[in-house]
Amino acid sequence: NAGVMQNPRHLVRRRGQEARLRCSPVKGHSHVYWYRQLPEEGLKFMVYLQKENIIDESGMPKERFSAEFPKEGPSILRIQQVVRGDSAAYFCASSPESGAHYGYTFGSGTRLTVV
Amino acid sequence: GENVEQHPSTLSVQEGDSAVIKCTYSDSASNYFPWYKQELGKGPQLIIDIRSNVGEKKDQRIAVTLNKTAKHFSLHITETQPEDSAVYFCAASWAGGYQKVTFGTGTKLQVIP
């Protein structure tokens, strides 16, 4: 009964490189949510995906950021041409049905550092 | 959109004392209010939640209260222990289907042995 698995735990990228963050939800969960947490701040919603579909991307910057949740494999959050301001902890959560009231399970996060 | 404010940002209590964290929300349509605990280096973990048809909910040493009229809700931890030290987040959402969860800015609780 593995929980939400995120990898890598820590990622260092130089400015201009690409960052790929992976999230494997709880087995049987088909709803995935990505959040960003800046130091000493709360969690900011980025995107909500179901298998093969983006449902709500209202919190994700229009440029450089993209997300997918393919039929097979983990959900991927991709940040192209990273800048220092992208340094943050990125958390993924999953739920068995749509909505937090079904219970979000969070992963341990990926801490991205842009140098 | 929804806006959730949380106070205090830091809280220190002696072991055995009680701790109270307060949150307010802006969207009267919100009806689901979870609380998460985040330990250092880990992801948030749901510890208790309350829906708007209930005014209070208790689970051992943890209780939440909700005042729909005033749009505020609180987390109460009694008989605090060192392992309660963590960052606590309140949140608001809608339990009628999908609505993104809006989190408060967090309270760093330190329980002093």
Side-chain angles (χ1 to χ4, degrees):
Chain A
N1 289 330
V4 174
M5 304 300 292
Q6 288 189 250
N7 65 79
R9 288 295 305 274
H10 300 275
L11 182 61
V12 179
R13 284 287 178 265
R14 296 186 183 278
R15 281 179 294 171
Q17 291 184 321
E18 178 179 284
R20 298 188 77 195
L21 288 60
R22 297 176 193 78
C23 168
S24 295
V26 172
K27 188 176 181 181
H29 287 191
S30 57
H31 303 263
V32 166
Y33 316 82
W34 285 92
Y35 282 80
R36 176 164 62 178
Q37 185 176 37
L38 293 170
E40 307 299 322
E41 291 190 14
L43 294 146
K44 300 296 184 185
F45 169 79
M46 298 184 73
V47 61
Y48 160 42
L49 311 100
Q50 291 182 33
K51 282 286 188 181
E52 301 184 272
N53 290 300
I54 296 175
I55 307 301
D56 181 359
E57 57 182 347
S58 59
M60 196 160 66
K62 295 287 188 289
E63 297 181 356
R64 301 188 300 109
F65 286 73
S66 63
E68 62 178 14
F69 188 16
K71 186 176 181 180
E72 300 292 337
S75 175
I76 305 287
L77 179 67
R78 183 181 291 109
I79 310 172
Q80 296 177 304
Q81 299 175 324
V82 296
V83 300
R84 290 244 172 91
D86 296 332
S87 295
Y90 292 83
F91 291 95
C92 162
S94 73
S95 64
E97 298 289 342
S98 179
H101 52 290
Y102 286 99
Y104 276 11
T105 301
F106 278 90
S108 295
T110 293
R111 281 143 188 87
L112 172 65
T113 302
V114 179
V115 297
Chain B
E2 176 64 275
N3 182 49
V4 177
E5 295 190 357
Q6 183 172 348
H7 301 280
S9 57
T10 60
L11 179 60
S12 291
V13 299
Q14 292 291 137
E15 182 178 356
D17 287 350
S18 295
V20 180
I21 302 170
K22 299 182 179 182
C23 291
T24 60
Y25 62 100
S26 62
D27 189 349
S28 56
S30 291
N31 62 2
Y32 174 69
F33 307 94
W35 286 86
Y36 290 85
K37 175 183 181 182
Q38 185 177 27
E39 297 176 335
L40 195 62
K42 296 183 179 180
Q45 180 182 14
L46 178 68
I47 56 172
I48 195 167
D49 56 17
I50 190 168
R51 303 195 182 205
S52 60
N53 57 345
V54 175
E56 184 175 359
K57 183 176 179 181
K58 192 172 182 180
D59 182 4
Q60 299 183 340
R61 297 186 295 109
I62 294 174
V64 290
T65 58
L66 171 66
N67 183 326
K68 279 181 59 178
T69 304
K71 295 202 193 80
H72 62 70
F73 55 114
S74 301
L75 177 72
H76 305 252
I77 306 174
T78 58
E79 301 172 17
T80 53
Q81 301 168 3
E83 51 264 40
D84 294 329
S85 296
V87 178
Y88 291 81
F89 292 97
C90 62
S93 184
W94 179 58
Y98 166 69
Q99 185 191 68
K100 62 188 176 187
V101 178
T102 301
F103 285 82
T105 50
T107 296
K108 186 174 183 178
L109 173 65
Q110 181 185 21
V111 179
I112 304 167

